[in-house]
Each structure stands twice: as structure tokens, then as C-alpha cells.
């Protein structure tokens, strides 16, 4: 007899609803489960699965549970409280370790044994639904364990735990870079005929054989790059302290090499800088902050490799061991490999060498030299049909089958969904996909009223200074418009992002806003102002458009000055910036350039910097538009 991964030591069971306990054994095998002084019986079915249901109980614990069959299993340290299923892509994955410099006190004080996290390892499959999750464990919040908790879900859980004094369980089932389509079941696509043909392919044995065929190595053009890199091929390696630079060019850090004289290059570029280290730092352990780098890097200090990361998103925070730094000249070398887009050092990030007492700014003049130029790699339709470009985690049902379906018998309080970046390229279909996912998950959990909280995409990208079309804004609009579905809520984050980082570090305010939404949606605090202003309606009054809102709280306010980021248009939909004035719980929008206005937009941009409509509770208004 065996149990699913979720039914294990340290688990948090959902309070106030019937509790499912299940597993697998020999067909016909009888079992007894003892929990809180009561005994429950089950018989394994012909399919080898057994399940029993225990009555609802209130929050409490720790408890133990024993299961007796042909073998004996005892589960320990079981709590009963609220379980949140948190899913999405990388911003839901982002662990506390990634934000440890921002929240050192939060990590040091993370002693909450009643907050438990179950992180679901990545697995994908488009062929069949799995009956269990990949191996995982329930982990209590401690300063060590919390480093692997998703930051948003942890901060949400902490707020709810401190407010309601009940255990909080987090099931974090998230995979970076994945589209919403991967998280919907086959049945969930019944109202989305555009995906019918793709789903049929997954039942076609010929197609399945193609995608399961081992991928052959690419032709010689993609042979190991390291063998061709001059910086590694020369007798004295370019990172070596004995190397004397010759023929290197000036580079201003931070920045991208495409903007500093090296255009259209995918390959390996080496960067170096000499820094003066004071005697007070010599010999001490230090930390090298190298911002964010596109794409992969290897970083050396005085010829010693101190770290490397293979892709662009994580911040570079490398430990410099004691004894490596010396008084006077020290050399820092960074080898960057990039295969697509603009390579280099992302601006407005932390670039410094510090021992905690003394900090050396690494921005400014560096030197660079090209080590290798890559030949362009082009994928053909033949590659795709041969399986070169097939990735199950990016296909319809690919993650539902492995990371959602095995959990649907486990009781939960509700869902938190943080995803959308990977769908921004086709934002117009996001609303229908998100509706399908919400309906699908509620159906799979057999509870049409389960709370569903959507985290709206934050601000990201370059600032536009004229009204523009925006895929990110359109996707946010798709997220906003699911609020007509009962028992849904939206956490607006357009003021919490970073223009140069798709993974902004301010995860605490995001988690706190999710907790606010949960309090009102799932905990019955109906009087709570849990959201910023949300668009309700618009009416035309002469040369003005009057916009009404819900969730105005104690009143509307313009944060930091005059209202900004409102745009207005006539029938031609040629938007111009508008004058916007707060009038009670409404906003009046007009422009001398538009005599007969018909449409209004607010914060309609990838990065709507300056959008400042809030309620007096300090929560931002969601972007919106009245045109279609």
C-alpha cells in the first residue's frame, strides 16, 4: 500500500470541509485509517486505487494518522487549516532566496511552524494524466526552509496566518516560462475549438512516436562553443591573472554591446576591469554583485571563478572567498555567452563589490573583446515535426496532466494564479483561456465556489511617452474582465514591477495584496477594502467622459500630484493624453484635441509609469479601456 505525495508527514489538511484520504494497493485489499480517535475503512478497487472520506473538522493539530493494510504506515505532525493551491509561471516560482538581500529580516524571523510549503517539482506530459505528483515534501517555515518557498505565496501565507491564527498550507505548482494552455485539462478545452486539432495529435501514435524519439545532436554548426572560444583556446586564458590584454575595446557598464559598437553578434564576449581594493578589504570574504546579465556568464576575480549562471533572469550575487582580494589592483573578468537578442549587462541593477563595510562601485569603464561568433541557428518546420522544438510543458494539458490532476482530490481553500507573461504575444485570447482554466479547476475539484485570485501582470519594459497599443495592457484587461465570474478577485501590481526585470523583487507587497483579496473573498471580511479602484462604467457628458469605479474605499486620490496616464479618443480611436480630474468617486476625462469623445483608456502600456489613480487605502486602480 502506498500513499500520494501530498498525503505525507507534515501535511496541512483543509479545515471545515470533508477530507479525502487515498492511495493505491492490491485490488480488493482492505484498509483501516485511524485519525483523531476514529477509524475509517476502505477497500481497494479493481483499478488498484482506494479512497475514503472523513468528516470536516476545525483547525488544529499536530495530529498523527495510521493506515493499516498489508503494511503499516504512520503519518506524523499533521495540521488542519487552510490550503492554497498557488500556480503559474516564474513569478510564482521565484523563491525567497532570490530576494534575500531585500528581505533579510523576514528570512531571519521566518519561524512559523504552522506555515507549510509543498513545492511541486516540474514534470510534463501531453499523452496521459498522472495519478501522483513528482516526489516532494511538506516543509515548515524556518529561516533555512523558507529560502525555497515561493516569495509571493509565503508573504500571502504569513499575513493570513498572523491574521486568523490557523495553519496555512501552500501547494506551489508553478513552472517558469510556461503558457496558460499547459495548465488546462483536455476537458477544459471543450469551449475552445481552436485547440481541438492539437489535442487530437496527442492521441495519434505516429505523432507521439515523433515527439518521443530521442533528439539527435544538431549539425556541426552547434558543436561545443567552448572549443572555439579564443579566450579559452589561447595558451594563457583570458581570465588568468597572467594574461596581458591586447586589442581590447572600451565598454561602459551597465549596457548592451549592440549599443556600444558590436551589432548583430551572438557569441562569447569577455569583459574585464581592474579595481583598487583598499587595505581594509584585503583578505576578507566579500560579495560580488554583477546585476543581471544576458544571457549566461562565468565570473572570475583574480583568475579564480567565483560563480556562473546559465540564463539571464537570476541576479548575479557571487561569494568571493577570504584570501582572494588583495590590497591594490584586482581584476574582475566576466565571460558572457548570448545566443539571441541584445547581450550585456542590464541597466539599473546592483553592480558592486562589498565586504559589508566597504563598497566598490563597478559601474563605469570596462574593456571587452570578442571570443567567439556563433553561426545563426535556424529551425525549420522539419525540425518541429521531428521533435526538435517540441516541449510538453508549453503544450495544451502538458502541465495539468502532471502537476494539477494528481492534486484534485486534495481539499483546498482556493487558488492563486500568477501567470501571463508567456501569453503576452497573443493577449487577445487570454481572457477566454483564463475563464476556461477557472471553470476547469473548479470542476476538477468538484466545487464551483472555490475562491480564485488572479495576480495581474506588473509594469515592465520601456516607458512610452505617447499613447500606444500594448499587448501587456491587453492581457491585464483580460485578467480584469474575469471578475464577472463569481468568487474571483484581482491583485493589481502595476506599481510593483521593474522596467528592466520581468521578475521584480518586490514580492512582499504582491503577497500582501493577495492576502487582502483572500480576506474578503475567502474569509468573509466583506467590509474590507481589498482592491484599488476598478472600472465600472463610463458616460459621455458633452466634451467629457465621466468614469465610475467600484472599490473606491475612503475615496479616490491622485498619488504624487495630478492624475496621469488617462488617454481619450473620438470615433477614430486616435488616443491622446487627457486631462483627468477626480470628482467625488468619479473621474472626469477630457482633452481640447477631442471635441466629441467616445473612448477612454487608463494605464494602457506595457510599463505605465506615472499611473497614479489610487483609493485612499493606498491600493492602485487597475488599467482599463472602454473601446473594444
Amino acid at each position: 500500500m502506498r500513499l500520494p505525495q501530498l498525503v505525507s508527514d507534515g501535511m496541512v489538511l483543509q479545515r471545515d470541509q470533508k477530507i479525502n484520504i487515498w492511495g493505491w494497493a492490491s485490488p480488493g485489499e482492505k484498509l483501516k485509517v485511524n485519525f483523531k480517535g476514529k477509524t475509517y475503512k476502505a477497500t481497494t478497487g479493481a483499478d488498484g486505487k482506494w479512497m475514503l472520506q472523513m468528516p470536516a473538522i476545525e483547525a488544529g493539530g499536530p495530529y498523527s494518522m495510521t493506515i493499516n493494510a498489508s503494511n503499516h504506515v504512520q503519518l506524523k505532525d499533521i495540521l488542519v487549516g487552510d490550503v492554497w493551491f498557488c500556480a503559474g509561471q516564474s513569478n510564482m516560482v521565484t523563491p525567497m532566496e532570490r530576494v534575500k538581500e531585500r528581505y533579510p529580516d523576514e528570512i531571519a524571523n521566518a519561524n512559523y511552524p504552522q506555515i507549510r510549503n509543498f513545492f511541486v517539482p516540474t514534470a510534463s506530459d501531453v499523452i496521459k494524466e498522472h495519478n501522483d505528483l513528482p516526489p516532494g515534501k511538506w516543509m515548515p517555515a524556518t529561516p533555512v526552509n523558507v529560502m525555497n518557498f515561493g516569495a509571493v505565496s509565503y508573504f500571502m501565507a504569513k499575513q493570513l496566518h498572523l491574521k486568523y491564527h490557523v495553519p496555512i498550507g501552500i501547494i506551489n505548482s508553478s513552472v517558469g516560462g510556461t503558457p496558460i494552455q499547459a495548465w488546462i485539462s483536455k476537458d477544459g478545452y471543450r469551449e475552445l475549438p481552436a485547440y481541438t486539432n492539437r489535442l487530437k495529435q496527442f492521441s495519434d501514435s505516429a505523432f507521439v512516436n515523433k515527439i518521443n524519439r530521442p533528439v539527435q545532436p544538431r549539425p556541426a554548426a552547434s558543436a561545443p562553443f567552448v572549443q572555439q572560444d579564443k579566450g579559452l583556446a589561447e595558451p594563457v586564458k583570458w581570465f588568468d591573472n597572467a594574461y596581458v590584454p591586447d586589442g581590447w575595446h572600451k565598454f561602459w557598464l551597465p549596457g548592451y554591446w549592440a549599443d556600444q559598437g558590436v551589432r548583430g553578434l551572438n557569441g562569447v564576449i569577455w569583459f574585464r576591469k581592474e579595481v583598487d581594493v583598499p587595505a581594509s578589504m584585503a583578505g576578507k570574504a566579500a560579495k560580488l554583485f554583477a546585476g543581471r546579465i544576458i544571457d549566461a556568464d562565468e565570473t572570475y576575480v583574480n583568475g579564480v571563478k567565483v560563480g556562473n549562471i546559465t540564463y539571464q533572469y537570476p541576479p548575479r550575487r557571487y561569494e568571493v572567498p577570504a584570501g582572494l582580494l588583495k590590497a591594490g589592483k584586482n581584476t574582475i573578468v566576466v565571460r558572457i555567452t548570448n545566443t539571441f537578442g541584445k547581450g550585456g549587462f542590464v541597466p539599473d541593477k546592483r553592480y558592486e563589490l562589498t565586504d559589508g563595510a566597504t563598497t566598490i562601485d563597478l559601474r563605469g569603464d570596462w574593456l571587452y573583446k570578442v571570443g567567439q561568433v556563433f553561426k545563426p541557428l535556424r529551425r525549420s518546420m522539419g525540425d518541429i515535426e521531428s521533435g526538435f522544438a517540441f516541449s510538453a510543458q508549453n503544450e495544451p494539458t502538458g502541465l495539468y496532466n502532471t502537476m494539477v490532476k494528481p492534486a484534485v482530490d486534495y481539499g483546498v481553500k482556493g487558488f492563486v494564479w500568477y501567470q501571463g507573461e508567456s501569453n503576452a504575444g497573443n493577449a487577445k485570447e487570454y481572457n477566454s483561456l483564463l475563464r476556461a482554466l477557472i471553470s476547469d479547476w473548479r470542476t476538477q475539484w468538484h466545487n464551483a465556489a472555490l475562491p480564485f485570485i488572479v495576480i495581474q501582470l506588473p509594469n515592465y519594459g520601456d516607458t512610452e511617452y505617447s499613447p500606444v497599443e500594448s499587448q501587456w495592457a491587453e492581457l491585464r484587461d483580460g485578467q480584469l474582465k474575469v471578475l464577472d465570474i463569481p468568487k474571483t478577485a484581482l491583485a493589481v501590481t502595476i506599481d510593483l514591477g521593474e522596467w528592466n526585470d520581468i521578475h521584480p523583487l518586490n514580492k512582499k507587497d504582491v503577497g500582501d495584496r493577495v492576502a487582502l483579496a483572500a480576506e474578503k473573498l475567502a474569509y468573509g471580511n466583506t467590509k474590507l477594502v481589498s482592491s484599488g479602484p476598478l472600472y465600472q462604467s463610463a458616460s459621455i457628458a458633452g466634451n467629457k467622459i465621466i468614469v465610475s469605479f467600484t472599490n473606491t474605499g475612503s475615496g479616490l486620490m491622485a498619488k504624487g500630484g495630478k492624475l496621469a496616464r488617462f488617454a481619450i479618443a473620438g470615433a477614430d480611436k486616435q488616443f491622446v493624453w487627457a486631462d483627468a480630474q477626480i470628482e467625488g468617486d468619479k473621474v472626469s476625462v477630457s482633452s481640447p484635441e477631442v471635441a466629441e469623445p467616445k473612448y477612454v483608456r487608463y494605464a494602457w502600456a506595457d510599463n505605465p509609469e506615472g499611473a497614479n489613480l489610487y483609493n485612499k487605502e493606498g491600493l492602485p486602480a487597475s488599467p482599463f479601456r472602454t473601446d473594444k
Side-chain angles (χ1 to χ4, degrees):
M1 188 278 300
R2 65 182 179 89
L3 297 169
Q5 295 293 324
L6 287 171
V7 181
S8 55
D9 289 342
M11 66 179 171
V12 181
L13 297 171
Q14 179 57 45
R15 62 174 172 156
D16 301 332
Q17 60 178 253
K18 292 180 179 179
I19 297 171
N20 294 325
I21 301 295
W22 74 99
W24 301 271
S26 300
E29 186 170 350
K30 297 184 182 301
L31 306 98
K32 290 183 179 179
V33 176
N34 297 299
F35 184 62
K36 287 195 69 185
K38 294 184 179 180
T39 300
Y40 306 89
K41 298 179 180 180
T43 301
T44 309
D47 61 353
K49 182 176 180 179
W50 60 268
M51 178 180 286
L52 58 81
Q53 197 170 68
M54 300 189 297
I57 57 177
E58 61 186 21
Y63 305 115
S64 62
M65 178 185 294
T66 59
I67 303 101
N68 291 299
S70 57
N71 55 323
H72 173 85
V73 175
Q74 182 173 24
L75 303 180
K76 304 179 293 296
D77 194 27
I78 299 168
L79 300 178
V80 180
D82 290 331
V83 181
W84 287 91
F85 192 85
C86 301
Q89 56 183 109
S90 49
N91 274 306
M92 186 63 89
V93 176
T94 302
M96 290 292 288
E97 193 281 332
R98 180 80 69 88
V99 296
K100 63 185 179 183
E101 285 84 16
R102 188 181 181 102
Y103 303 112
D105 292 340
E106 291 283 354
I107 291 169
N109 297 316
N111 291 298
Y112 299 102
Q114 290 196 335
I115 298 177
R116 309 275 175 89
N117 183 71
F118 188 102
F119 185 81
V120 180
T122 299
S124 57
D125 189 348
V126 297
I127 309 304
K128 64 181 185 301
E129 294 179 346
H130 290 210
N131 60 18
D132 201 5
L133 296 171
K137 292 183 179 180
W138 288 96
M139 302 297 290
T142 67
V144 173
N145 293 343
V146 80
M147 299 291 269
N148 295 315
F149 282 38
V152 167
S153 56
Y154 171 70
F155 285 124
M156 174 202 73
K158 179 189 170 188
Q159 287 295 100
L160 295 177
H161 176 62
L162 293 177
K163 175 94 174 183
Y164 296 102
H165 308 290
V166 298
I168 301 292
I170 305 160
I171 302 173
N172 190 325
S173 186
S174 311
V175 181
T178 55
I180 188 173
Q181 291 91 331
W183 297 94
I184 302 172
S185 78
K186 184 177 180 180
D187 288 343
Y189 280 99
R190 286 176 177 169
E191 303 299 321
L192 298 169
Y195 292 90
T196 301
N197 289 337
R198 190 58 166 171
L199 291 168
K200 283 182 179 178
Q201 285 185 303
F202 301 154
S203 300
D204 181 330
S205 59
F207 180 83
V208 170
N209 288 337
K210 281 183 180 180
I211 64 175
N212 285 334
R213 184 185 306 151
V215 176
Q216 298 300 314
R218 298 290 301 187
S222 63
F225 301 135
V226 66
Q227 296 176 5
Q228 305 169 11
D229 180 2
K230 294 176 184 177
L232 297 175
E234 292 185 0
V236 180
K237 308 294 188 288
W238 291 1
F239 62 79
D240 196 305
N241 251 10
Y243 175 75
V244 177
D246 179 50
W248 291 58
H249 307 280
K250 288 185 177 180
F251 184 89
W252 183 266
L253 187 149
Y256 304 103
W257 61 67
D259 301 326
Q260 300 193 42
V262 185
R263 299 206 170 223
L265 172 68
N266 290 320
V268 177
I269 296 190
W270 294 72
F271 296 84
R272 63 184 286 127
K273 182 180 181 69
E274 287 188 345
V275 295
D276 283 314
V277 170
S280 60
M281 282 183 76
K284 291 184 178 179
K287 183 169 281 190
L288 174 64
F289 290 91
R292 264 188 62 224
I293 293 173
I294 300 176
D295 191 49
D297 77 289
E298 296 174 10
T299 298
Y300 302 82
V301 174
N302 291 335
V304 176
K305 186 175 177 179
V306 295
N308 76 285
I309 290 176
T310 59
Y311 64 112
Q312 64 172 288
Y313 294 117
R316 271 57 173 180
R317 305 161 300 174
Y318 297 141
E319 301 292 339
V320 179
L324 186 55
L325 294 179
K326 57 187 179 180
K329 296 290 184 184
N330 292 254
T331 304
I332 298 173
V333 175
V334 182
R335 176 183 183 264
I336 298 181
T337 304
N338 191 52
T339 58
F340 181 79
K342 294 173 72 171
F345 300 85
V346 176
D348 283 354
K349 292 294 180 181
R350 190 176 181 182
Y351 296 92
E352 62 186 40
L353 177 67
T354 180
D355 65 354
T358 303
T359 297
I360 298 173
D361 191 344
L362 299 180
R363 296 172 298 175
D365 286 318
W366 284 58
L367 296 174
Y368 79 87
K369 190 172 184 177
V370 176
Q372 183 189 359
V373 178
F374 294 165
K375 294 181 180 179
L377 293 178
R378 299 182 178 88
R379 280 189 172 136
S380 67
M381 286 306 296
D383 289 336
I384 295 171
E385 291 303 318
S386 299
F388 279 119
F390 186 87
S391 173
Q393 71 177 36
N394 294 320
E395 295 285 343
T397 74
L399 295 172
Y400 171 85
N401 289 344
T402 52
M403 299 179 66
V404 181
K405 176 61 176 178
V408 300
D409 289 326
Y410 200 89
V412 297
K413 182 76 168 179
F415 306 107
V416 182
W417 178 249
Y418 194 171
Q419 191 278 336
E421 300 91 338
S422 289
N423 287 90
N426 189 12
K428 65 182 179 181
E429 70 169 347
Y430 194 79
N431 179 259
S432 61
L433 288 164
L434 184 54
R435 289 176 181 275
L437 182 137
I438 294 169
S439 175
D440 184 33
W441 285 13
R442 287 174 169 175
T443 298
Q444 301 297 337
W445 261 269
H446 303 289
N447 187 342
L450 278 175
F452 199 105
I453 301 170
V454 177
I455 301 175
Q456 195 180 55
L457 289 187
N459 50 306
Y460 171 66
D462 295 333
T463 301
E464 299 280 357
Y465 288 91
S466 298
V468 294
E469 298 301 323
S470 164
Q471 292 269 43
W472 276 56
E474 189 166 358
L475 193 138
R476 293 187 195 106
D477 195 53
Q479 294 172 319
L480 170 68
K481 287 179 177 174
V482 300
L483 293 183
D484 62 0
I485 301 173
K487 299 290 283 185
T488 57
L490 185 72
V492 178
T493 68
I494 60 164
D495 57 340
L496 303 180
E498 299 177 27
W499 75 269
N500 58 358
D501 202 330
I502 204 167
H503 303 126
L505 298 181
N506 185 353
K507 294 294 192 271
K508 184 177 188 302
D509 286 338
V510 178
D512 290 350
R513 288 179 187 176
V514 174
L516 275 178
E519 285 187 46
K520 186 168 186 176
L521 188 65
Y523 291 87
N525 192 351
T526 56
K527 295 183 179 180
L528 179 70
V529 179
S530 62
S531 166
L534 299 175
Y535 170 78
Q536 183 178 41
S537 63
S539 60
I540 299 171
N543 66 344
K544 297 180 180 181
I545 297 180
I546 309 300
V547 184
S548 299
F549 298 88
T550 61
N551 293 277
T552 54
S554 303
L556 299 177
M557 61 174 280
K559 189 174 182 179
K562 182 179 171 62
L563 277 182
R565 286 286 170 174
F566 280 86
I568 197 168
D572 60 0
K573 295 188 179 181
Q574 299 299 305
F575 284 88
V576 299
W577 293 129
D579 176 63
Q581 304 288 336
I582 294 173
E583 298 178 355
D585 287 342
K586 297 178 172 60
V587 172
S588 171
V589 186
S590 63
S591 168
E593 298 180 51
V594 183
E596 298 181 5
K598 285 191 174 294
Y599 308 110
V600 62
R601 291 178 175 180
Y602 171 68
W604 197 263
D606 292 0
N607 180 13
E609 183 176 332
N612 62 345
L613 177 62
Y614 286 69
N615 56 28
K616 291 181 180 177
E617 283 69 21
L619 297 171
S622 169
F624 68 88
R625 67 176 177 185
T626 63
D627 59 301
K628 296 182 179 179

